[in-house]
Amino acid sequence: MERINCLIIGGGPAGYTAAIYASRAALAPVLYEGNVPGGQLTTTTVVENFPGYPKGVDANQLMADMREQAVNLGADIRRGVVTKADLGVRPFRLTVDGATELEADALIIATGATARYLGLPSEEKFRGLGVSACATCDGFFYRKKDVAVVGGGDTACEEATYLAGLCRKVYMIVRRDVLRASVAMQERVKNTPNIEILWNCNTQEILGDASGVTGARLVRKDGEVFDIQVDGFFLAIGHHPESELFAPWVTTDPNGYIVTDGGSSRTNVEGVFAAGDVQDPVYRQAVNAAASGCRAALDAEKYLKR
Ligand code: NDP
């Protein structure tokens, strides 16, 4: 059975950055990329807020460059999904694609989080063409336009107020007659004049043409169906951290995010580190994921060389 010194799971900014640092620290890292090499960023187009790119950068290119940088420094990056883990033994035991068994002395979990979507075919059709799950990433493209945000939690309120600073009008589509968000966030929304809350509404269809989203068809609880005209449609109905595989050993919060020790990447299992969105319910930005990947590699180095 192959024994790996430093195993990294996840091919997003956190995983690739961990691989860059771990390679330079001579930890001989092996990284499994999972189902979506490049991670969540590959669902967007241009990234304008990653430092170092004054003209913005194509998201797929950014991820390909991070990957190439890690490979050039010596990281062994492989296709494959880790399907089983036993973190109760030393070395840790993991299975890739249900078949290949591995042992690892240190493990960096950088499996990310997945934005929840409504599950409408039209949402899939217009993903990247007006449908987005990240206002901070894509809001800029809708300056002075009308947009909609689905959800009534803290994320939806935060995204709606962020978008209200850029856009002409923001509709919040809320399925109940109350917001789930904290009182402070609710107040911010209510005090923002260009946010209109559409209570008791669900989205029936996202409307659009060849150029992208043009509106949404909503249905109110009383049965009334009506359309709104928007250019951007933002989902903010929660994220799902990809932590299930490790949850029997690694402490997670009530929403499934891996809990790390203070500002470090250390989990409750010695030798297991977490980086990126799988341990970050709040900031969820590529630059933060990259930074936490760096922390995880430094923590793993310290652990392996102890
Ligand atoms: P939440 O689970 O808190 O809220 C999800 C929202 O989406 C709810 O309003 C929910 O409605 C709605 N929703 C869920 N499914 C659907 C659906 N199919 N159709 C329409 N609406 C739907 O997720 P958040 O991402 O907002 O927050 C996650 C956690 O992160 C929370 O603990 C939150 O407090 C925290 N957070 C904190 C922030 C901060 O402190 N600054 C910022 C952002 C998040 P319903 O209420 O009816 O279930």
Side-chain angles (χ1 to χ4, degrees):
M1 191 186 316
E2 186 183 12
R3 181 156 174 177
I4 293 166
N5 188 44
C6 177
L7 178 65
I8 302 166
I9 310 176
Y16 291 148
T17 306
I20 289 169
Y21 275 78
S23 300
R24 295 191 80 241
L27 303 185
V30 171
L31 182 152
Y32 277 93
E33 291 184 304
N35 274 328
V36 190
Q40 283 186 81
L41 264 196
T42 56
T43 64
T44 183
T45 48
V46 179
V47 180
E48 293 187 328
N49 52 9
F50 200 92
Y53 296 92
K55 297 187 175 111
V57 57
D58 177 86
N60 285 286
Q61 189 59 50
L62 177 64
M63 296 319 301
D65 287 346
M66 280 192 204
R67 185 184 192 283
E68 189 184 336
Q69 191 174 352
V71 169
N72 289 346
L73 289 165
D76 180 351
I77 298 189
R78 304 176 184 174
R79 281 289 170 94
V81 177
V82 173
T83 47
K84 212 169 144 195
D86 182 353
L87 308 184
V89 292
R90 302 295 164 126
F92 306 123
R93 291 191 74 153
L94 299 108
T95 308
V96 179
D97 293 333
T100 312
E101 298 212 341
L102 303 170
E103 289 181 328
D105 291 304
L107 175 66
I108 296 176
I109 302 169
T111 42
T114 318
R116 291 202 170 96
Y117 283 82
L118 295 169
L120 302 169
S122 50
E123 182 184 49
E124 200 56 49
K125 185 173 163 192
F126 294 114
R127 210 185 272 197
L129 286 171
V131 171
S132 165
C134 179
T136 324
C137 318
D138 298 326
F140 189 70
F141 303 113
Y142 303 95
R143 269 177 306 172
K144 298 193 167 46
K145 294 182 174 174
D146 295 350
V147 296
V149 177
V150 186
D154 279 322
T155 302
C157 290
E158 210 165 76
E159 304 228 327
T161 43
Y162 173 78
L163 289 165
L166 297 168
C167 303
R168 192 173 58 183
K169 173 150 193 165
V170 180
Y171 294 101
M172 277 185 79
I173 304 169
V174 178
R175 67 179 173 182
R176 293 188 290 153
D177 59 357
V178 287
L179 294 171
R180 181 188 287 271
S182 56
V183 173
M185 288 306 296
Q186 295 192 29
E187 284 306 310
R188 270 178 70 184
V189 163
K190 284 171 188 164
N191 291 330
T192 307
N194 59 338
I195 297 178
E196 182 184 344
I197 302 182
L198 302 170
W199 300 105
N200 296 311
C201 285
N202 274 302
T203 309
Q204 207 171 60
E205 214 57 72
I206 297 163
L207 310 172
D209 56 27
S211 66
V213 168
T214 57
R217 180 154 302 149
L218 309 183
V219 54
R220 220 190 301 272
K221 237 179 209 157
D222 61 12
E224 186 199 353
V225 177
F226 63 102
D227 292 352
I228 54 171
Q229 289 184 352
V230 290
D231 293 295
F233 187 89
F234 289 86
L235 280 305
I237 58 171
H239 282 75
H240 176 76
E242 301 295 340
S243 63
E244 281 94 347
L245 210 56
F246 316 104
W249 299 276
V250 170
T251 304
T252 56
D253 75 7
N255 295 315
Y257 288 90
I258 295 177
V259 176
T260 51
D261 180 15
S264 81
S265 68
R266 290 188 302 273
T267 69
N268 60 303
V269 180
E270 216 190 340
V272 177
F273 307 91
D277 286 10
V278 74
Q279 52 85 60
D280 178 4
V282 179
Y283 298 105
R284 297 193 201 113
Q285 296 296 297
V287 69
N288 288 304
S292 75
C294 160
R295 281 204 298 274
L298 296 179
D299 289 341
E301 180 186 8
K302 199 168 164 193
Y303 169 75
L304 288 166
K305 292 185 176 165
R306 76 200 184 284

